[in-house]
């Protein structure tokens, strides 16, 4: 069954009329809600227009007015490749290959 991804939250931080930080949340879902194969997880990111780490500046997006953003542009800002891998691993460990629980043997007799 296909993974469904939905952008559920987009909170802009504005400076001088332009968004300079986005706080984004995407909901991941797989399986049929209410069934044993259903799993959901929210992924979030806070993304600055530019970041400087170790003297190197990275541009994540060009600041512009809130109204000028499209849903697709916001979705494209999300690190979905990374999130896809995390969700797949979570789904596998929780749904496909859950850890086996030991079964107590209440009939066990203590050796004499």
């Amino acid at each position: 069954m296909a993974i469904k991804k939905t952008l559920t939250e987009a909170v802009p931080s504005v400076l001088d009329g332009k968004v300079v930080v986005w706080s984004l949340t995407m909901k991941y879902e797989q399986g049929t809600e209410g069934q044993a194969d259903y799993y959901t997880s929210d992924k979030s990111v806070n993304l600055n227009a530019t970041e400087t780490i170790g003297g190197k500046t990275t541009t994540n997006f060009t600041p512009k007015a809130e109204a000028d953003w499209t849903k697709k542009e916001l979705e494209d800002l999300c690190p979905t490749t990374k999130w896809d891998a995390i969700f797949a691993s979570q789904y596998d460990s929780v749904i496909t290959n859950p850890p086996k629980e030991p079964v107590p043997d209440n009939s066990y007799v203590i050796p004499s």
Side-chain angles (χ1 to χ4, degrees), residues 62-80:
T62 302
K64 60 183 176 180
E66 289 178 53
D68 293 342
W69 288 88
T70 66
K71 183 178 179 183
K72 170 111 173 67
E73 287 173 323
L74 295 174
E75 291 171 340
D76 288 347
L77 290 177
C78 295
T80 54

Side-chain angles (χ1 to χ4, degrees), residues 2 8 23 36 45 47 52 84 89 103 107 112:
T8 57
S23 176
V45 66
L47 198 60
T52 303
D84 290 354
S89 176
V103 178
S107 66
S112 47

Side-chain angles (χ1 to χ4, degrees), residues 101-112:
E101 296 293 326
V103 178
D105 181 359
N106 294 324
S107 66
Y108 179 76
V109 177
I110 300 172
S112 47

